Amino acid sequence: MKAIGIVGSPRKNGNIDTLVESVLDGAKEAEYQTTKYRLNEMKYSGCQGCDYCKSHDTCRLDDDLSGLLRDIADADAVVFGSPIYFYLFTGQFKLMEDRMYSFIDSEFKSRIKPGKKAVIITSQGDPNLNAYAKAADDFAGTLKFLGFDVREIIRMDDGGSKSAARESRDLQEKARSAGKAL
C-alpha cells in the first residue's frame, strides 16, 4: 500500500509539515510505503485551461507536479496539508488543486479509482476553528467528487507559532492515529 503526503506550506518543518509527517508515520505503522512532497520546493505552473486533459489521460504540462499527480492517482491514501491564509489554502496548494482538474474526463467523471483514502490537515492563527472551516470543507467536497473517501479533517488553531504542532503531543497523536486508521 502507498500513502503520500502533500505539504502546501512554505515553512519547511512548520506546523503543516510536522502534522503531515505524523500522519505518514502512522501510515508506516499500518505498513504503508510513504512519500512526502513539499509544494514550495517544486517548480510548476497552474492549470492553463486548455482542456488537453479531456482528450488525454494527463495534463499537457510537464513539470514537477506531473509526478505528484501520477502519485496521487496511484496512491491508496493521500494526506493533503495547507495553512489557511485569508480564508483559503495557500497559493502553492491552490495551483496544485487546480491541476487536479486533469483527473476529470470529458464527461466530467473522475478518473480516480473510487475509495482512495484522504486526510486533510489545516493550520490557522485564529483560535476559532470554525472561522476558516469552509476552506477544508470545500476541498473535502472536491475530493469526494473525485471519488476520495475523506477519513478525517484535522484542524489546528494557534498556527501562528512555527513550532505549535511540535509542541502539541495531543495533535501529533491525533495525526498519527489518522495515519494508522488509513
Side-chain angles (χ1 to χ4, degrees):
M1 296 183 299
K2 180 179 177 180
I4 64 169
I6 302 167
V7 177
S9 173
R11 290 182 180 167
K12 187 174 184 177
N13 301 317
N15 295 318
I16 292 296
D17 200 353
T18 297
L19 294 175
V20 167
E21 189 65 37
S22 293
V23 175
L24 293 177
D25 286 345
K28 285 177 194 171
E29 290 179 43
E31 301 187 11
Y32 279 83
Q33 294 178 335
T34 64
T35 305
K36 182 169 64 173
Y37 291 88
R38 289 185 182 94
L39 296 176
N40 202 54
E41 296 175 359
M42 300 168 67
K43 303 289 182 212
Y44 57 96
S45 298
C47 177
Q48 301 298 297
C50 67
D51 282 341
Y52 177 90
C53 61
K54 302 308 158 231
S55 59
H56 298 78
D57 288 341
T58 61
C59 176
R60 78 168 173 85
L61 298 176
D62 185 16
D63 55 21
D64 288 354
L65 208 57
S66 303
L68 171 57
L69 293 172
R70 281 190 299 275
D71 272 0
I72 291 171
D74 293 340
D76 298 290
V78 183
V79 183
F80 297 93
S82 179
I84 298 175
Y85 299 162
F86 296 107
Y87 296 91
L88 300 169
F89 288 167
T90 61
Q92 296 92 322
F93 192 94
K94 184 62 177 141
L95 286 176
M96 185 254 342
E97 180 183 356
D98 286 350
R99 289 276 295 278
M100 290 172 64
Y101 179 64
S102 64
F103 293 145
I104 301 169
D105 68 16
S106 62
E107 296 177 6
F108 217 67
K109 302 241 188 296
S110 178
R111 293 185 171 108
I112 297 289
K113 183 177 83 174
K116 186 181 302 288
K117 300 167 195 158
V119 173
I120 301 169
I121 301 171
T122 65
S123 173
Q124 64 189 54
D126 191 323
N128 177 3
L129 286 175
N130 293 325
Y132 304 104
K134 188 175 183 319
D137 293 345
D138 286 351
F139 184 62
T142 297
L143 292 178
K144 288 174 185 175
F145 168 76
L146 289 172
F148 282 83
D149 174 10
V150 178
R151 293 292 180 95
E152 188 160 359
I153 300 175
I154 299 172
R155 303 172 200 269
M156 178 187 166
D157 63 0
D158 194 26
S161 166
K162 295 178 186 180
S163 60
R166 283 191 303 279
E167 294 167 3
S168 175
R169 296 286 177 229
D170 291 342
L171 198 52
Q172 286 183 48
E173 186 52 40
K174 181 177 184 176
R176 183 174 281 105
S177 294
K180 286 182 200 176
L182 289 174

